[in-house]
Amino acid sequence: MLAAVVFVPSAPLLVPELAGPSAFDTEPVRSAVRDALADTASSGIDRWVVLGASDDPVTGQVEESGSGSFARFGVDVRVSVSDRTGPRMSLSALIGAWLREWASLGPTSMWIVGRETSPAECAVLGADLGARLEESPERIGLLVVGDGSTALTPKAPGGGRRDSAVALNESIVAAIGAADMRALAALRPESCDTEGIGGRVAWQVAAAAVESCGSGVVPKTSYADAPFGVGYVVAAWTVSGDRS
C-alpha cells in the first residue's frame, strides 16, 4: 500500500560532486532532503517508487534504463537501480537513483512520465499507479522529483525574476504544503511551461495516485526556497491507514 509521499527537487546540485566544495547554498536543501527521507523511512518503508518527468517532449509513461551517469552535468557520477540497460536516464531518474544510494533507501523502481503529458492523462496514470500501489502488500514510499519555476530571482536561469512566476510557484508550494490535490490537478501546462516549472506532471500524477487511494494525508513542508533562482520544495505526505 502507499504509505508516504516525499517531494524533492530535480536538482543536480544535490550531488556533492557536482555542487563542488564551495557551494554552501546547496547544504540546506540537501539536509532537508536527507531528513525528510530519513523520517519517512523510519516509519517503515519496504520499497520506493521514484516518480518524475522525462527530459524528452513525449507523453505517457516512459521506459528508462536502470543505470546512468551525471556526466552530462559535469561529473561522471554513476548511479543505478538495476542492471538493465536502455536509453539514458532522465534527470529525475538520475536524482532518484542517486538518492537511493545516498540515503540507503533500499529497493527502488522508476515511474517516469513524459513532460508533455496532459493533466487529464496525468490523472489516468496516477489512478493506475495508485491502484498498483494499493494492491501491494508492501509499504511503499513515493519519491516525487520535480522543480518549481526557473524565474524566481534576478539572476535566475529562466530570464530573471518574473512576478507571474513567483505567484505561480508560491501557489504550488502552498498546494504541496496543504496536500491540496485539486490545486495540483488544476495546474495548466501552458502556465507551467511559460514560468519554467518542471515538476507539473510528477506532482499531478502523485496527487491522482494519492486521491485514488481514498486516504487521509498529513503534510509537512521542510524546505521551500530558490537558492539559484529555481523553486525547490522538500515536503512529505504521511498517508493514513484510513482507506474509507
Side-chain angles (χ1 to χ4, degrees):
M1 68 176 184
L2 178 61
V5 182
V6 177
F7 296 84
V8 301
S10 182
L13 292 179
L14 284 175
V15 182
E17 293 90 335
L18 275 68
S22 62
F24 300 111
D25 289 343
T26 63
E27 186 50 38
V29 63
R30 192 181 298 122
S31 294
V33 169
R34 181 192 302 114
D35 292 345
L37 290 172
D39 289 347
T40 302
S42 69
S43 67
I45 301 296
D46 301 310
R47 181 166 61 88
W48 289 86
V49 176
V50 175
L51 173 58
S54 169
D55 297 335
D56 298 321
V58 295
T59 62
Q61 192 180 358
V62 178
E63 195 70 27
E64 293 217 11
S65 65
S67 60
S69 169
F70 283 94
R72 67 184 188 270
F73 298 99
V75 181
D76 187 17
V77 178
R78 296 183 176 273
V79 294
S80 68
V81 292
S82 73
D83 295 330
R84 184 170 54 84
T85 59
R88 76 176 188 179
M89 295 176 84
S90 65
L91 177 56
S92 294
L94 286 170
I95 293 294
W98 179 78
L99 288 173
R100 180 189 73 87
E101 298 175 3
W102 179 68
S104 301
L105 297 182
T108 304
S109 57
M110 298 287 176
W111 188 282
I112 305 300
V113 180
R115 62 182 173 86
E116 292 190 356
T117 305
S118 71
E121 291 170 315
C122 286
V124 172
L125 288 170
D128 180 34
L129 174 60
R132 295 188 187 203
L133 299 184
E134 283 299 281
E135 289 174 356
S136 173
E138 300 174 301
R139 288 176 56 82
I140 298 174
L142 192 60
L143 180 56
V144 185
V145 184
D147 287 341
S149 174
T150 58
L152 301 181
T153 64
K155 294 183 179 180
R161 185 185 187 278
R162 290 192 298 277
D163 290 344
S164 56
V166 172
L168 181 55
N169 197 81
E170 288 178 348
S171 72
I172 290 169
V173 170
I176 292 174
D180 189 339
M181 265 69 82
R182 290 187 178 182
L184 292 173
L187 292 172
R188 304 314 305 163
E190 301 81 6
S191 300
C192 289
D193 290 346
T194 297
E195 307 303 356
I197 290 169
R200 176 189 64 84
V201 297
W203 299 330
Q204 289 185 324
V205 171
V210 174
E211 198 160 38
S212 73
C213 296
S215 310
V217 174
V218 178
K220 177 184 177 181
T221 300
S222 52
Y223 182 93
D225 207 344
F228 305 101
V230 179
Y232 295 160
V233 60
V234 181
W237 294 355
T238 301
V239 181
S240 77
D242 181 11
R243 263 66 173 173
S244 59

Coordinates of all heavy atoms in Angstrom, one line a residue, residues 3-8 29-46 48 99-106 139 141-143 220 222 234-238:
A3 N 2.2 4.3 1.5 CA 2.4 4.8 2.9 C 2.9 6.2 3.1 O 2.6 6.9 4.1 CB 3.4 3.8 3.6
A4 N 3.6 6.7 2.1 CA 4.1 8.1 2.2 C 4.5 8.6 0.8 O 4.8 7.8 -0.1 CB 5.3 8.1 3.1
V5 N 4.5 9.9 0.7 CA 5.0 10.6 -0.5 C 6.0 11.6 -0.1 O 5.7 12.4 0.9 CB 3.8 11.3 -1.2 CG1 4.3 12.0 -2.5 CG2 2.7 10.4 -1.5
V6 N 7.1 11.7 -0.7 CA 8.2 12.6 -0.4 C 8.5 13.4 -1.7 O 8.8 12.8 -2.7 CB 9.5 12.0 0.1 CG1 10.5 13.0 0.4 CG2 9.2 11.2 1.4
F7 N 8.4 14.7 -1.6 CA 8.7 15.6 -2.7 C 10.1 16.2 -2.5 O 10.5 16.7 -1.5 CB 7.7 16.8 -2.7 CG 6.3 16.4 -2.9 CD1 5.5 16.0 -1.9 CD2 5.7 16.4 -4.2 CE1 4.2 15.6 -2.1 CE2 4.4 16.1 -4.4 CZ 3.6 15.6 -3.3
V8 N 10.9 16.1 -3.6 CA 12.3 16.6 -3.6 C 12.5 17.3 -4.9 O 11.9 17.0 -5.9 CB 13.3 15.5 -3.4 CG1 13.1 14.7 -2.1 CG2 13.3 14.5 -4.6
V29 N 19.2 22.6 1.4 CA 18.2 21.8 0.7 C 18.6 20.3 0.8 O 17.8 19.4 0.9 CB 18.0 22.2 -0.8 CG1 19.3 22.1 -1.6 CG2 16.9 21.5 -1.4
R30 N 19.9 20.0 0.7 CA 20.4 18.7 0.8 C 20.0 18.1 2.2 O 19.6 16.9 2.3 CB 21.9 18.6 0.6 CG 22.4 17.1 0.4 CD 23.9 17.1 0.2 NE 24.3 17.8 -1.0 CZ 25.1 18.8 -1.1 NH1 25.7 19.3 0.0 NH2 25.5 19.4 -2.2
S31 N 20.2 18.9 3.2 CA 19.9 18.5 4.6 C 18.4 18.2 4.8 O 18.0 17.2 5.4 CB 20.3 19.5 5.6 OG 21.7 19.6 5.6
A32 N 17.6 19.1 4.1 CA 16.1 18.9 4.2 C 15.7 17.6 3.5 O 14.8 16.9 4.0 CB 15.4 20.1 3.6
V33 N 16.3 17.3 2.4 CA 16.0 16.1 1.7 C 16.4 14.9 2.5 O 15.7 13.9 2.7 CB 16.7 16.0 0.3 CG1 16.6 14.6 -0.3 CG2 16.1 17.1 -0.6
R34 N 17.6 14.9 3.1 CA 18.1 13.8 3.9 C 17.2 13.6 5.1 O 16.8 12.4 5.4 CB 19.5 14.1 4.5 CG 20.1 13.1 5.3 CD 21.3 13.5 6.1 NE 22.4 14.0 5.2 CZ 22.8 15.3 5.1 NH1 22.3 16.2 5.9 NH2 23.8 15.6 4.3
D35 N 16.7 14.6 5.8 CA 15.9 14.5 6.9 C 14.5 14.0 6.6 O 13.9 13.1 7.3 CB 15.7 15.8 7.7 CG 17.1 16.3 8.3 OD1 18.0 15.4 8.5 OD2 17.2 17.5 8.7
A36 N 13.9 14.5 5.5 CA 12.6 14.0 5.0 C 12.6 12.5 4.7 O 11.7 11.8 5.0 CB 12.1 14.9 3.8
L37 N 13.7 12.1 4.0 CA 13.7 10.7 3.6 C 14.0 9.8 4.9 O 13.4 8.7 5.0 CB 14.9 10.5 2.6 CG 14.6 11.0 1.2 CD1 15.9 10.9 0.4 CD2 13.5 10.3 0.6
A38 N 14.8 10.3 5.8 CA 15.1 9.5 7.0 C 13.8 9.4 7.9 O 13.5 8.3 8.4 CB 16.2 10.2 7.8
D39 N 13.1 10.5 8.0 CA 11.9 10.5 8.8 C 10.9 9.6 8.2 O 10.2 8.8 8.9 CB 11.3 11.9 8.9 CG 12.1 12.8 9.8 OD1 13.0 12.3 10.5 OD2 11.9 14.0 9.8
T40 N 10.7 9.6 6.9 CA 9.8 8.7 6.3 C 10.2 7.3 6.3 O 9.4 6.4 6.6 CB 9.6 9.2 4.8 OG1 9.2 10.5 4.7 CG2 8.6 8.3 4.1
A41 N 11.4 7.0 6.1 CA 11.9 5.6 6.1 C 11.8 5.0 7.5 O 11.5 3.8 7.7 CB 13.4 5.6 5.7
S42 N 11.9 5.9 8.6 CA 11.8 5.4 9.9 C 10.4 4.9 10.3 O 10.2 4.1 11.2 CB 12.2 6.5 10.9 OG 11.2 7.5 11.0
S43 N 9.4 5.3 9.4 CA 8.0 4.8 9.7 C 7.8 3.4 9.1 O 6.7 2.9 9.3 CB 7.0 5.8 9.0 OG 7.1 5.8 7.6
G44 N 8.8 2.9 8.4 CA 8.7 1.6 7.8 C 8.3 1.6 6.4 O 7.1 1.4 6.1
I45 N 9.3 1.7 5.5 CA 9.0 1.7 4.0 C 9.7 0.5 3.5 O 11.0 0.3 3.7 CB 9.5 3.0 3.3 CG1 8.8 4.2 3.9 CG2 9.3 2.9 1.8 CD1 7.3 4.2 3.6
D46 N 9.0 -0.4 2.8 CA 9.6 -1.6 2.2 C 10.2 -1.4 0.8 O 11.2 -2.0 0.5 CB 8.6 -2.7 2.1 CG 8.0 -3.1 3.4 OD1 8.7 -3.3 4.4 OD2 6.7 -3.1 3.6
W48 N 10.5 1.8 -2.5 CA 10.3 3.2 -3.0 C 10.0 3.1 -4.5 O 10.6 2.3 -5.3 CB 11.6 4.0 -2.8 CG 11.8 4.4 -1.3 CD1 12.4 3.6 -0.4 CD2 11.3 5.5 -0.7 NE1 12.4 4.2 0.8 CE2 11.8 5.4 0.7 CE3 10.6 6.7 -1.0 CZ2 11.5 6.4 1.6 CZ3 10.4 7.7 -0.1 CH2 10.8 7.5 1.2
L99 N 19.6 9.3 -4.9 CA 19.1 9.4 -3.5 C 18.9 8.0 -3.0 O 19.1 7.8 -1.7 CB 17.7 10.1 -3.5 CG 17.8 11.6 -3.8 CD1 16.4 12.1 -3.9 CD2 18.5 12.3 -2.6
R100 N 18.6 7.0 -3.8 CA 18.5 5.6 -3.3 C 19.8 5.2 -2.7 O 19.8 4.6 -1.6 CB 18.2 4.7 -4.5 CG 18.1 3.2 -4.1 CD 18.0 2.3 -5.3 NE 19.2 2.2 -6.0 CZ 20.1 1.3 -5.7 NH1 20.0 0.4 -4.7 NH2 21.3 1.2 -6.4
E101 N 20.9 5.5 -3.3 CA 22.2 5.1 -2.8 C 22.7 6.0 -1.6 O 23.1 5.5 -0.6 CB 23.3 5.1 -3.9 CG 23.0 4.2 -5.1 CD 23.9 4.3 -6.2 OE1 24.9 5.1 -6.1 OE2 23.7 3.6 -7.2
W102 N 22.5 7.3 -1.8 CA 23.0 8.3 -0.8 C 22.2 8.1 0.5 O 22.8 8.2 1.6 CB 22.8 9.7 -1.4 CG 23.2 10.8 -0.5 CD1 24.5 11.1 -0.1 CD2 22.3 11.8 0.1 NE1 24.4 12.2 0.7 CE2 23.1 12.7 0.8 CE3 21.0 12.0 0.0 CZ2 22.6 13.8 1.5 CZ3 20.4 13.1 0.7 CH2 21.3 13.9 1.5
A103 N 20.9 7.9 0.4 CA 20.1 7.8 1.6 C 19.8 6.4 2.0 O 19.0 6.1 3.0 CB 18.8 8.6 1.4
S104 N 20.4 5.4 1.3 CA 20.2 4.0 1.6 C 18.7 3.6 1.7 O 18.2 3.0 2.7 CB 20.9 3.6 3.0 OG 22.3 3.9 2.9
L105 N 18.0 3.9 0.6 CA 16.6 3.7 0.6 C 16.1 2.3 0.4 O 15.0 1.9 0.7 CB 16.0 4.6 -0.5 CG 16.1 6.1 -0.4 CD1 15.4 6.8 -1.5 CD2 15.6 6.6 1.0
G106 N 17.0 1.4 -0.1 CA 16.6 0.1 -0.4 C 16.0 -0.1 -1.7 O 16.2 0.7 -2.7
R139 N 4.7 -1.8 2.2 CA 4.5 -0.3 2.5 C 5.4 0.4 1.5 O 6.7 0.3 1.6 CB 4.9 0.0 3.9 CG 3.9 -0.5 4.9 CD 4.3 -0.3 6.4 NE 4.6 1.2 6.6 CZ 3.7 2.1 6.9 NH1 2.4 1.8 6.9 NH2 4.0 3.3 7.1
G141 N 6.9 3.9 -0.4 CA 7.1 5.4 -0.4 C 7.2 5.9 -1.9 O 7.9 5.3 -2.7
L142 N 6.5 6.9 -2.2 CA 6.5 7.5 -3.5 C 7.5 8.7 -3.4 O 7.2 9.7 -2.7 CB 5.1 7.9 -3.9 CG 4.9 8.3 -5.4 CD1 5.2 7.2 -6.3 CD2 3.5 8.8 -5.6
L143 N 8.6 8.7 -4.2 CA 9.6 9.7 -4.2 C 9.3 10.6 -5.4 O 9.7 10.2 -6.5 CB 11.0 9.1 -4.2 CG 12.2 10.1 -4.2 CD1 12.1 11.1 -3.0 CD2 13.5 9.3 -4.1
K220 N 3.8 17.8 5.5 CA 4.8 18.6 6.2 C 5.8 19.1 5.2 O 6.4 18.3 4.5 CB 5.5 17.8 7.3 CG 6.6 18.5 8.0 CD 7.3 17.6 9.0 CE 8.5 18.3 9.7 NZ 9.2 17.3 10.6
S222 N 9.3 21.0 4.7 CA 10.6 21.2 5.5 C 11.5 22.2 4.8 O 12.4 22.7 5.4 CB 11.3 19.9 5.8 OG 11.5 19.2 4.6
V234 N 10.8 20.8 -0.5 CA 11.0 19.4 0.1 C 9.9 19.3 1.1 O 9.7 20.1 2.0 CB 12.4 19.3 0.8 CG1 12.5 17.9 1.5 CG2 13.5 19.6 -0.1
A235 N 9.1 18.2 0.9 CA 7.9 18.0 1.7 C 7.6 16.5 1.8 O 8.1 15.7 1.0 CB 6.7 18.8 1.2
A236 N 6.8 16.2 2.8 CA 6.4 14.8 3.0 C 4.9 14.7 3.3 O 4.4 15.5 4.0 CB 7.2 14.1 4.1
W237 N 4.3 13.8 2.7 CA 2.9 13.5 3.0 C 2.8 12.1 3.6 O 3.2 11.1 3.0 CB 2.0 13.4 1.8 CG 1.8 14.7 1.0 CD1 2.2 15.9 1.4 CD2 1.1 14.9 -0.2 NE1 1.9 16.9 0.5 CE2 1.2 16.3 -0.5 CE3 0.4 14.0 -1.1 CZ2 0.6 16.8 -1.7 CZ3 -0.1 14.5 -2.2 CH2 -0.1 15.9 -2.5
T238 N 2.4 12.0 4.9 CA 2.2 10.7 5.5 C 0.8 10.3 5.2 O -0.2 11.0 5.5 CB 2.4 10.8 7.0 OG1 3.7 11.3 7.3 CG2 2.2 9.5 7.7

